[in-house]
Amino acid sequence: MLDKGLIPFSRPSRHRRIRLTDLLEYERASRSRRDSSIRQMIAVGDNSALYDLPEPSPKEAAQAIAEVRRSQINATIAFLDANIIYSITLTDTLLTMSEHNLLFPLWSPEVLLEAAREAERTLPASVQASFQ
């Protein structure tokens, strides 16, 4: 990130120094991009009425994945389970990969509900809103 110029730094000696404000701004911008991507993926599901569909059979799921692979030749398809979505670090990494067309993430409504239930059980109320 530093070598790509995403976060400004100085190098008064051998070690690089990063201002806290620059680091916090990068974190805020990264979180904003991630949240935007999540909202966009949810909107696609809502607009396509995907959350109203019954769970696919394994054969239907395999066919859907094959169709996605044909349209996203260079992207790896990954089904994100609740333990992945619950982890902010993993979610951020995977959504960043998705932004660069390196990964095509998939999940089900049940997975989102499970992640929300776990967040409700373990996280403070101020953080739980991000799972709604």
Side-chain angles (χ1 to χ4, degrees):
M1 292 184 282
L2 298 177
D3 293 334
K4 290 182 180 181
L6 299 175
I7 302 174
F9 66 93
S10 63
R11 191 182 292 216
S13 60
R14 283 185 42 203
H15 302 287
R16 296 182 269 197
R17 293 189 181 169
I18 303 169
R19 290 182 14 206
L20 178 60
T21 56
D22 292 332
L23 184 62
L24 294 174
E25 173 57 25
Y26 175 80
E27 181 182 23
R28 185 205 57 76
S30 178
R31 180 170 292 142
S32 176
R33 283 191 308 274
R34 182 188 67 234
D35 291 348
S36 175
S37 294
I38 289 173
R39 282 192 299 276
Q40 183 181 10
M41 286 188 279
I42 290 171
V44 167
D46 285 343
N47 293 340
S48 303
L50 294 178
Y51 296 117
D52 299 333
L53 298 175
E55 281 292 309
S57 69
K59 183 178 179 180
E60 292 168 331
Q63 289 171 342
I65 289 172
E67 185 177 324
V68 169
R69 281 196 174 132
R70 283 191 292 277
S71 66
Q72 300 281 331
I73 297 296
N74 296 326
T76 299
I77 298 170
F79 183 83
L80 306 184
D81 200 355
N83 60 334
I84 300 296
I85 293 173
Y86 180 77
S87 167
I88 299 301
T89 305
L90 284 173
T91 300
D92 185 48
T93 301
L94 295 173
L95 291 178
T96 300
M97 291 174 67
S98 178
E99 288 175 355
H100 296 284
N101 296 321
L102 300 172
L103 180 76
F104 189 83
L106 300 172
W107 58 84
S108 69
E110 288 79 11
V111 166
L112 292 178
L113 287 173
E114 183 181 344
R117 280 193 303 268
E118 185 63 17
E120 186 175 301
R121 189 179 73 76
T122 60
L123 297 175
S126 61
V127 178
Q128 291 177 21
S130 64
F131 284 89
Q132 302 304 324

